[in-house]
Amino acid sequence: MSCRWPRVRALAAFALAAVALAACAQGQSTVDATVDAPPADAGVDAPIDAPGSDGRPLGNDVCAGAEDLTAAASGATGVTVVGDLTGYGNDVEPPQACTGFVNDGPDAVYVLTVGPGKIVTATLTPQGWDGAVELVQPCVRTPICLAGSDGGDPEVATFTTTAAITLYVVVDSWDATSFGPYALNVRVQ
């Protein structure tokens, strides 16, 4: 009998190696030993929880998962949503002129479809981190900036529509290490 090392992913290498060594010491093949081995990622679940990475539908981390706030934002006080950029990626990067800063950090995306002559106001209140908010169109890696704010407390971006439009509200940050919970109020008047 020979003990050959199966190909494994880096995450499971240590657990599988221990099982394989024990199996070889007991005269079993590594294939037999790994059938009953515990999952290699048991207790190491954090990276799997990123939106969409575990088979769940994409969250608002990407344009395709943008949360639609159209109906709720049209109320007298708009709509306030709470979120958290933890685990999100940097998918939307408006030009630096949008806020005065390059926003290379994680972002969350919301969508609105509004008629002409409407005032759209997005107010972002980050909880313990430096955030930015942008109103953009279309939702792509480098969109056109309609309005943005990075330097206020809270961050407030306002845009007046001249025609019917679908626009995106992006909760953003300046750096990959700047993220956390937030409250976002979006109002269409």
Side-chain angles (χ1 to χ4, degrees):
M1 167 192 316
S2 69
C3 288
R4 293 182 289 158
W5 291 97
R7 289 204 269 173
V8 295
R9 296 183 184 268
L11 199 61
F14 294 112
L16 191 55
V19 170
L21 286 174
C24 284
Q26 295 175 5
Q28 294 179 318
S29 75
T30 56
V31 173
D32 292 338
T34 57
V35 170
D36 296 322
D41 67 348
V44 186
D45 195 31
I48 295 173
D49 290 335
S53 66
D54 60 358
R56 293 179 293 133
L58 293 175
N60 66 333
D61 179 34
V62 295
C63 294
E67 185 177 336
D68 192 339
L69 301 179
T70 301
S74 297
T77 59
V79 61
T80 298
V81 294
V82 294
D84 192 320
L85 293 183
T86 303
Y88 279 31
N90 178 25
D91 302 295
V92 181
E93 286 187 33
Q96 181 175 350
C98 189
T99 63
F101 298 93
V102 174
N103 289 309
D104 288 338
D107 43 54
V109 185
Y110 300 88
V111 63
L112 295 166
T113 301
V114 298
K118 299 294 184 179
I119 300 169
V120 178
T121 303
T123 304
L124 172 67
T125 307
Q127 312 288 311
W129 56 280
D130 184 14
V133 65
E134 300 119 2
L135 304 176
V136 302
Q137 185 200 40
C139 194
V140 294
R141 179 72 174 183
T142 308
I144 296 167
C145 177
L146 305 173
S149 175
D150 185 0
D153 186 17
E155 305 291 349
V156 180
T158 302
F159 177 74
T160 302
T161 64
T162 57
I165 186 174
T166 296
L167 61 89
Y168 296 84
V169 180
V170 180
V171 173
D172 212 338
S173 70
W174 69 278
D175 184 72
T177 62
S178 182
F179 54 83
Y182 61 88
L184 173 69
N185 178 269
V186 179
R187 189 169 87 177
V188 177
Q189 299 171 281

